[in-house]
Amino acid sequence: LDLIEVLNNICQLAKDPFRDTTRRSVSSLSEKAYLSMIEDDHESMEIDTSFRLKVKHKNNDTAILTPGQMGLATYCIIDALSVISDVKFPLIVDSPGQGIDMGYMSKIFKYILGESARQVIVLPTTAEMDSATVVGDYGASVASIYHLQRPSGSKATEIVETHRRTP
């Protein structure tokens, strides 16, 4: 039991520095990506010691983020977590444009589809993205594009391949 207590103490001593180093690294990496895409006068983005997201304007006022800005920050943080942890999990994005204006949605798509080295599965609605736009804008970086269709009078849904990148 003494050995278990010693190991527990060692783990507790290592936890906070590891957690803080990871938080600072994720904050720094996600801030860099966010600030490169944001259109407003945001000067900084950080994850504080309580793990709250704080974005500041150039005049040092705290920014109140729109849904589009929050979505952009979220994808930047998720990507940074993957890079820092070196865990290559696929990123599954369902209805990425929900409540996000088209300008920010375009930047998010360019970031997660055009610049990400990980597997990304995007499940947009037709209002968010259509096949022609995807192929035209992202065809070179997208392996395959599918859409769902239901033939007239049928209850079955078919998965139809719209695009497959050629090597």
Side-chain angles (χ1 to χ4, degrees), residues 2 11 27 46-47 54 57 60 77 114-115 150 156-157 164:
D2 289 340
C11 287
S27 185
E46 72 169 315
I47 301 167
K54 292 190 176 186
H57 288 288
N60 211 29
I77 291 168
E115 297 177 24
R150 181 172 292 160
T157 300
R164 180 168 295 274

Side-chain angles (χ1 to χ4, degrees), residues 90-110:
L91 179 60
I92 301 173
V93 184
D94 185 18
S95 301
Q98 194 91 6
I100 297 176
D101 62 73
M102 295 305 278
Y104 284 120
M105 189 171 60
S106 175
K107 288 176 182 269
I108 291 168
F109 281 142
K110 277 189 174 55

Side-chain angles (χ1 to χ4, degrees), residues 69-115:
Q69 294 166 341
M70 186 58 78
L72 187 62
T74 300
Y75 291 118
C76 292
I77 291 168
I78 290 170
D79 189 55
L81 281 167
S82 176
V83 170
I84 298 300
S85 69
D86 199 27
V87 176
K88 305 292 185 223
F89 57 85
L91 179 60
I92 301 173
V93 184
D94 185 18
S95 301
Q98 194 91 6
I100 297 176
D101 62 73
M102 295 305 278
Y104 284 120
M105 189 171 60
S106 175
K107 288 176 182 269
I108 291 168
F109 281 142
K110 277 189 174 55
Y111 180 69
I112 64 174
L113 294 177
E115 297 177 24

Side-chain angles (χ1 to χ4, degrees), residues 16 49-50 52 64 70 72-74 85 111 119 131 145 163:
D16 286 340
T49 56
S50 296
R52 291 179 301 234
I64 298 171
M70 186 58 78
L72 187 62
T74 300
S85 69
Y111 180 69
Q119 180 184 24
S131 293
I145 300 171
H163 167 78

Side-chain angles (χ1 to χ4, degrees), residues 22-66:
T22 302
R23 178 188 51 76
R24 283 192 304 273
S25 298
V26 168
S27 185
S28 175
L29 192 58
S30 61
E31 177 187 49
K32 204 177 300 179
Y34 176 81
L35 292 177
S36 73
M37 291 184 272
I38 194 68
E39 296 168 357
D40 291 336
D41 67 340
H42 296 172
E43 178 73 20
S44 66
M45 180 184 97
E46 72 169 315
I47 301 167
D48 71 12
T49 56
S50 296
F51 292 88
R52 291 179 301 234
L53 179 65
K54 292 190 176 186
V55 177
K56 299 278 187 176
H57 288 288
K58 290 185 179 181
N59 65 5
N60 211 29
D61 287 344
T62 300
I64 298 171
L65 302 183
T66 66

